[in-house]
Amino acid sequence: MRALALVILLSALALSATILTRADQASIDAALPVLQKYIPDVKIIPADPTQWRTLISRGEVDFLWAGAPVLYEALLKEGYLSPMPDVPELGQVPDKIGNIQLKRVGPDGKTYYVVYALLGYVIGYSPESLRRAGVAPVCTWRDLASLNLTKYYLQTGSKPLAIAKPTKSTSTAAMMQLVTEIYGWEEGWRYLAAMAAMARFVDSSGAVRDAVKRGEALFGPMVDYYVFLAGLDYCIPTDGTDVLFDPIAVPRGANTTVAAILTRVFLTEMEKRLVDRYLLPGNPAVLDSPDVNQTKAALLKQHLQKLMSSKIMYVPPERSASYYYSFIYYYEATLVDLQDVLTDVWARLVDAYFSGKITARQFEELWRRLGAPVNFTDPETGKTTAFTFQTAVEMNGKVGSDPVYRDKVYKAWREAARAKYESVAQELQRYIQENAAKPQESSTPPATSQDYTSLIVAALLVALVAISLVLLRRR
């Protein structure tokens, strides 16, 4: 390692580096002094995933660090990535762990991004907050949309979930996509709508962790290392989870010397520093290194075993990327922007069901309508189009690359969703009124079993009185 450091240091004396990242500020603060040992003039820029194309296109970015693979897959498909430098450390990373590919090899046989860290999708919570609220742990994605959590909101006025906006968090985008992968497109959006209605939306996945830690929310979908850092407990969703690859890559136009240095540093010293942050290194062999914190390494080994024995979906990054932009902007237009309307309708719907004002059949029907993907007017063709999975895939590239089109279709989605929510609210009110009027429609309502019992008892009493009178007259 000393020889590596000397070679890198001599090469880096006159170099500067700009790194684009999705890492949180705490990770950036921990990484900066390590990186400055090798390239003193290094700048780390945290940016929303929607800004990466523009920043790369300016030709001033040398390295990409962290974020969901779906983002890197989209960048690869659109030609924003260069092959990784051919350094010895890259060859030391295994090709896969279990069924998880650690290197993304392109059609030309070259590696375009490599997994630097592994993160599992979990549901984090504070046992103390749950104890105070009298709520049991939630261990499936579907249960994050459960009526019990809405009942908690109706009783307390406090929203039980914290969710990062998918346009701001690639890990949250991947988790929300996972719900549609597990339950299918239609059913998945039904659960996503119910979750969104009961959520505090925040601007980063780190803010989800903080909201749960402070007790502002009971549950939050998050990556695993956040629960360890915050001292939270967690469930690995039993209906399915996935493993987030925290990649590193080289953008087109990067300084190749800087890119080579950073690749070597990230795959050696930086990977060892992951353990201090409770992050699983992309190369699990690092956990056995004498240079890492053994207590934390033991915890991570145990967690890795638990994660690998769970129900992992292994959704290919290229599949997630195929509808990524359509998904995140549709989610924001219909669920985030209109959350006040959505929450109001959903809360009234659940309250009407709990209070017996509507039937179970009526509730299920309205819930499906509330969450169903909208029919919208495509601004390019003028035709009414259903937001199916296939539609999301077909329009993904244009939504991601054409801001003018994106703004127009975003507005179309939002207005179609607003009309849908208002329609469900009107239908709910109609059902409530019809059900309330039903007992008054007939002057002789059907008798209950209790009514029949009362009549029988009365008849017996009358018969006994009559018999008694007859016997008295005979005397």
Side-chain angles (χ1 to χ4, degrees):
M1 186 65 194
R2 289 180 180 177
L4 169 62
L6 180 60
V7 171
I8 291 176
L9 185 58
L10 290 173
S11 302
L13 286 176
L15 295 175
S16 62
T18 298
I19 301 173
L20 196 57
T21 189
R22 291 292 306 136
D24 63 356
Q25 192 58 49
S27 296
I28 293 171
D29 292 342
L32 194 56
V34 176
L35 294 170
Q36 286 174 332
K37 290 194 302 182
Y38 302 99
I39 301 181
D41 185 12
V42 60
K43 180 167 62 175
I44 303 176
I45 303 175
D48 290 344
T50 53
Q51 299 173 323
W52 278 37
R53 281 193 193 83
T54 302
L55 294 170
I56 293 171
S57 295
R58 292 175 184 170
E60 300 172 355
V61 180
D62 300 299
F63 207 69
L64 306 176
W65 165 39
V70 63
L71 173 59
Y72 287 72
E73 197 63 35
L75 294 173
L76 172 60
K77 182 179 179 182
E78 296 163 22
Y80 285 91
L81 299 185
S82 293
M84 296 289 292
D86 186 17
V87 295
E89 290 76 11
L90 186 62
Q92 294 168 8
V93 177
D95 291 336
K96 63 169 62 176
I97 172 174
N99 290 329
I100 302 171
Q101 293 288 339
L102 298 181
K103 297 175 182 176
R104 177 62 165 100
V105 178
D108 56 3
K110 297 178 181 178
T111 300
Y112 280 84
Y113 61 83
V114 63
V115 175
Y116 152 78
L118 296 170
L119 304 95
Y121 301 141
V122 302
I123 299 170
Y125 61 87
S126 162
E128 177 61 23
S129 293
L130 296 194
R131 185 190 63 78
R132 288 197 305 266
V135 174
V138 166
C139 291
T140 69
W141 301 113
R142 181 169 56 187
D143 284 345
L144 287 179
S146 75
L147 302 193
N148 286 336
L149 293 185
T150 304
K151 186 175 183 180
Y152 171 83
Y153 168 74
L154 292 171
Q155 293 170 342
T156 66
S158 179
K159 292 185 175 178
L161 306 180
I163 300 177
K165 299 171 186 175
T167 55
K168 304 291 185 180
S169 167
T170 51
S171 60
T172 299
M175 284 185 271
M176 297 300 100
Q177 284 184 300
L178 184 60
V179 175
T180 66
E181 295 289 343
I182 294 171
Y183 290 103
W185 191 249
E186 294 280 341
E187 191 79 352
W189 279 108
R190 184 163 78 110
Y191 293 137
L192 291 178
M195 287 184 209
M198 292 293 103
R200 298 167 179 264
F201 281 115
V202 295
D203 286 335
S204 70
S205 52
V208 173
R209 171 201 62 203
D210 296 340
V212 175
K213 183 175 176 62
R214 290 193 298 262
E216 296 169 357
L218 299 181
F219 302 100
M222 61 184 79
V223 289
D224 47 19
Y225 87 102
Y226 279 149
V227 300
F228 301 132
L229 282 175
L232 299 172
D233 209 337
Y234 69 101
C235 279
I236 297 175
T238 56
D239 49 351
T241 189
D242 206 347
V243 177
L244 170 67
F245 318 143
D246 212 355
I248 54 173
V250 177
R252 72 185 187 198
N255 182 307
T256 55
T257 302
V258 169
I261 293 171
L262 291 174
T263 299
R264 301 187 73 181
V265 173
F266 266 89
L267 294 180
T268 52
E269 186 170 349
M270 286 290 285
E271 273 226 326
K272 292 177 182 177
R273 295 294 177 268
L274 288 175
V275 179
D276 291 331
R277 297 279 299 155
Y278 290 105
L279 278 159
L280 285 165
N283 184 355
V286 171
L287 293 174
D288 295 319
S289 171
D291 299 333
V292 303
N293 182 301
Q294 296 302 311
T295 301
K296 293 179 179 180
L299 183 150
L300 290 175
K301 282 183 182 179
Q302 183 180 23
H303 170 65
L304 180 60
Q305 184 177 13
K306 183 179 177 182
L307 188 64
M308 298 308 293
S309 62
S310 63
K311 184 180 178 181
I312 297 181
M313 301 300 294
Y314 300 114
V315 181
E318 54 269 29
R319 176 177 169 85
S320 299
S322 71
Y323 65 104
Y324 168 72
Y325 292 110
S326 298
F327 183 94
I328 63 173
Y329 286 111
Y330 176 86
Y331 186 107
E332 183 135 341
T334 63
L335 302 183
V336 179
D337 283 7
L338 299 179
Q339 190 195 29
D340 289 347
V341 182
L342 174 62
T343 298
D344 177 66
V345 178
W346 173 248
R348 284 195 284 142
L349 177 59
V350 175
D351 182 61
Y353 174 60
F354 279 144
S355 59
K357 295 177 182 177
I358 60 173
T359 66
R361 180 191 62 77
Q362 290 168 336
F363 171 76
E364 285 292 328
E365 174 200 330
L366 293 181
W367 184 5
R368 288 190 182 281
R369 286 180 54 186
L370 190 72
V374 301
N375 294 322
F376 66 99
T377 302
D378 190 313
E380 189 171 59
T381 64
K383 295 181 179 178
T384 300
T385 306
F387 189 68
T388 62
F389 174 78
Q390 188 58 39
T391 300
V393 172
E394 290 172 355
M395 65 193 313
N396 187 66
K398 195 167 183 63
V399 171
S401 62
D402 186 341
V404 175
Y405 175 78
R406 180 171 65 238
D407 289 346
K408 289 179 179 178
V409 79
Y410 188 100
K411 182 179 179 181
W413 286 334
R414 186 174 56 210
E415 294 314 309
R418 187 189 301 278
K420 178 182 65 170
Y421 298 153
E422 291 173 353
S423 173
V424 171
Q426 291 170 3
E427 191 71 1
L428 170 62
Q429 189 59 33
R430 186 176 71 82
Y431 279 150
I432 291 173
Q433 291 173 348
E434 288 180 354
N435 293 341
K438 281 180 182 177
Q440 300 172 2
E441 290 174 357
S442 171
S443 59
T444 55
T448 64
S449 59
Q450 185 175 358
D451 295 330
Y452 286 125
T453 302
S454 299
L455 289 171
I456 292 170
V457 171
L460 288 173
L461 287 174
V462 170
L464 288 173
V465 170
I467 293 170
S468 298
L469 288 174
V470 170
L471 292 175
L472 285 172
R473 286 176 181 175
R474 288 182 177 179
R475 288 180 183 176

